[in-house]
Amino acid sequence: MRTYRVGTFIGSLSSTSINRTLAKALMRVAPDDLEFTEIPIGNLPLYSPDYDDAYPPEATALKEAIAASDAVLFVTPEYNRSIPGALKNAIDWASRPWGQNSFDHIPAAVIGASPGQIGTAVAQQSLRAVLSFCNARQMTAPEGYITFKPEVYGDDGSIADEGTEQFLTEFMAEFRDYMERVLTVLPR
């Protein structure tokens, strides 16, 4: 059985991020043939085309981590009705220089949590627009707009609510199947 390597982007830089908690839960309920590696984004300088001829080590490591992944999973909060600046900065680094876009044809899933009722719906739409331009192969359904309730998630990734656990399990199973379908047609 093949193991699929999933690079995970946590959109928040906060050490107490509810999206980091959600990511732990997603990894816990994911199919056994998925292996997760967080791709760090907090140490990147702000992107500028001035770096295109000589990428700093942090940006080179970012591109290498994506290249080593079979797919990417974005778990992001919503900041001001869009994606966090650090996440957008990481995507800018990974998609440049022109002609060396790390997201080209990579299977991708987007999900996120917030305390509000609409989860991270607007941020996810913003992220999807950026990923479309980057030519990532996005899983479009199911969508995952998670209203975060702290009592549902344990620090170890456990999920106390049966309905939430079932939804997240199905989301990850669908992502795994989607990834396999994309990689059959567009191997990395």
Side-chain angles (χ1 to χ4, degrees):
M1 180 169 84
R2 177 177 178 181
T3 299
Y4 294 99
R5 299 172 315 251
V6 179
T8 306
F9 286 88
I10 311 296
S12 173
L13 299 181
S14 171
S15 62
T16 59
S17 167
I18 62 176
N19 283 278
R20 182 170 304 287
T21 301
L22 175 60
K24 287 179 189 176
L26 291 165
M27 291 174 201
R28 186 177 180 122
V29 299
D32 292 338
D33 59 347
L34 300 185
E35 177 183 289
F36 296 90
T37 302
E38 182 177 345
I39 298 177
I41 63 172
N43 61 349
L44 293 164
L46 291 176
Y47 172 75
S48 168
D50 295 342
Y51 291 112
D52 282 356
D53 291 331
Y55 259 38
E58 301 87 354
T60 300
L62 171 78
K63 290 180 79 66
E64 289 171 351
I66 297 167
S69 301
D70 295 307
V72 288
L73 172 65
F74 291 89
V75 187
T76 188
E78 183 172 304
Y79 288 4
N80 300 320
R81 296 289 187 240
S82 189
I83 57 176
L87 180 56
K88 177 62 167 71
N89 185 52
I91 293 169
D92 290 344
W93 276 110
S95 65
R96 304 291 297 179
W98 188 256
Q100 297 177 36
N101 172 14
S102 298
F103 294 115
D104 189 44
H105 293 303
I106 195 165
V110 175
I111 192 169
S114 77
Q117 291 298 310
I118 61 170
T120 59
V122 180
Q124 289 183 43
Q125 293 309 310
S126 178
L127 177 55
R128 287 182 182 285
V130 174
L131 292 175
S132 289
F133 178 80
C134 292
N135 207 29
R137 300 297 169 208
Q138 298 176 64
M139 181 176 81
T140 57
E143 295 175 310
Y145 310 125
I146 308 301
T147 301
F148 189 83
K149 298 176 183 165
E151 65 275 9
V152 171
Y153 300 92
D155 291 337
D156 62 351
S158 59
I159 306 166
D161 178 77
E162 187 177 316
T164 301
E165 183 173 19
Q166 180 179 350
F167 175 79
L168 297 179
T169 300
E170 290 171 3
F171 181 92
M172 293 307 290
E174 183 63 32
F175 181 42
R176 186 251 175 248
D177 292 346
Y178 177 78
M179 182 187 328
E180 183 177 50
R181 288 190 301 272
V182 172
L183 293 171
T184 298
V185 177
L186 300 167
R188 291 189 50 79

